[in-house]
Amino acid sequence: WDLILMMEPLTIAGALVGAVLNKLLDESVLVVMLVLLLSYTAYKTLKRAVKMYSAENEHRRSELENDVFDDDDGDFASTMYLDVGDQTSTLKTILENERNVPMGNITLLVLMFVVVLFINVMKGGGAFPSPLGIKCGSLLYWAANFLNLLWIISISFVARRHLLKKYELKES
């Protein structure tokens, strides 16, 4: 749920920006931008995968050298289970709460979606005229788009602050 809380506002913001760029830019410019974006993303993903693969192999090598295998069945004896006995009560509470559906996260996401939907309905578009008389390309149209983006970014910062605070509590 924490991942959804962080990713969904940014996904909606990307869709809004992409829709505006789709209307403003030539198709060839969009294709070049998409190819560049996908190439960069693929490069970063591959680079991270190679780094993780190397780290995992190094970890395996060190565990083999230190003989941490259990003699009976070959499982990693020391890395299979989280030792609950050494955790603080705060961490235990956080981990217990993470087993349940986080209604605060869901409420924040639903609130974000309802406000974005409301602004878009008031803005109108396509076959649906604006109830406020907002015309495409007018100052109010761009103000509504900016307000939408500002709202989504604000929600992202609230989510970020919440997740950082949660992380700091886990680390302490």
Side-chain angles (χ1 to χ4, degrees):
W1 285 101
D2 290 343
L3 181 63
I4 294 170
L5 182 63
M6 199 63 231
M7 292 297 296
E8 192 57 30
L10 300 174
T11 303
I12 292 174
L16 288 173
V17 171
V20 170
L21 290 177
N22 189 37
K23 292 289 184 188
L24 296 177
L25 298 176
D26 185 50
E27 188 175 314
S28 59
V29 174
L30 287 174
V31 168
V32 168
M33 287 175 65
L34 285 173
V35 167
L36 290 173
L37 176 65
L38 291 174
S39 298
Y40 175 74
T41 304
Y43 170 74
K44 293 288 284 186
T45 302
L46 181 62
K47 188 176 174 182
R48 177 174 275 172
V50 168
K51 184 178 178 182
M52 288 175 64
Y53 180 76
S54 299
E56 287 172 3
N57 283 338
E58 182 62 34
H59 182 69
R60 266 193 216 113
R61 255 186 250 112
S62 69
E63 286 180 339
L64 287 173
E65 290 170 2
N66 295 332
D67 194 31
V68 294
F69 282 106
D70 188 0
D71 292 335
D72 296 334
D73 57 4
D75 284 340
F76 287 104
S78 63
T79 59
M80 288 298 291
Y81 300 101
L82 179 64
D83 185 11
V84 178
D86 293 340
Q87 297 172 351
T88 65
S89 63
T90 304
L91 182 57
K92 286 180 185 178
T93 303
I94 291 170
L95 292 175
E96 184 62 37
N97 288 340
E98 286 180 348
R99 292 184 182 142
N100 302 318
V101 176
M103 292 309 294
N105 291 8
I106 293 172
T107 303
L108 187 62
L109 289 170
V110 168
L111 178 66
M112 178 199 62
F113 179 74
V114 166
V115 171
V116 168
L117 183 65
F118 176 77
I119 292 171
N120 280 328
V121 167
M122 292 298 111
K123 185 177 66 170
F128 181 73
S130 167
L132 302 177
I134 298 174
K135 301 288 183 213
C136 183
S138 69
L139 183 62
L140 282 176
Y141 173 85
W142 292 111
N145 279 327
F146 179 75
L147 183 63
N148 243 345
L149 203 53
L150 186 65
W151 171 250
I152 293 168
I153 291 170
S154 298
I155 294 293
S156 294
F157 278 109
V158 168
R160 178 184 179 275
R161 190 178 70 222
H162 165 72
L163 293 175
L164 284 175
K165 198 179 294 185
K166 190 173 169 181
Y167 173 77
E168 289 168 1
L169 283 173
K170 283 182 181 180
E171 290 297 311
S172 63

